Amino acid sequence: MSNHIASIRELIALWPTRQELVNDLGKRGFDVTLGRIHKWAQFGSIPAKYHAATTACAQARGFSFTAEDMAWIHHAPDRSTPNQEPSHDNPHANTAPDAA
């Protein structure tokens, strides 16, 4: 993984405001509402049809974030839930953040 973003909420928080993410996606032809962005953060998931555009928006802002990162954070254990074991199917599980 190219960075330390561990959740959808952390990805969304890279933008100065959620409205700016809405605006960035709008520039790429996606009619996304602020309410939808709030739901993504709340549920920890971005629908697949928005993955490429959200990744491109992140990269356009200079964030170190890739399609691999998007896939990883959708399959990573929820870091906000205590005592959740990491998935052994995840190639990034049990690696130090700087080792990936």
Side-chain angles (χ1 to χ4, degrees):
M1 197 160 99
S2 63
N3 53 51
H4 303 289
I5 298 168
S7 69
I8 297 301
R9 185 179 295 266
E10 288 180 23
L11 171 62
I12 292 169
L14 293 174
W15 276 261
T17 67
R18 290 180 178 183
Q19 184 61 52
E20 289 192 45
L21 174 54
V22 169
N23 297 343
D24 287 355
L25 288 166
K27 292 175 190 172
R28 294 183 180 274
F30 288 91
D31 184 22
V32 178
T33 65
L34 184 58
R36 183 177 302 238
I37 301 300
H38 292 321
K39 292 287 186 187
W40 294 353
Q42 177 183 1
F43 293 108
S45 181
I46 297 173
K49 71 180 185 177
Y50 301 105
H51 286 191
T54 304
T55 299
C57 289
Q59 291 172 347
R61 284 193 173 254
F63 307 143
S64 177
F65 191 77
T66 66
E68 179 183 3
D69 297 327
M70 180 68 81
W72 187 82
I73 62 175
H74 276 87
H75 291 80
D78 181 356
R79 305 297 190 280
S80 65
T81 305
N83 301 323
Q84 186 165 356
E85 293 295 319
S87 169
H88 295 289
D89 296 330
N90 181 343
H92 300 293
N94 298 321
T95 60
D98 295 333

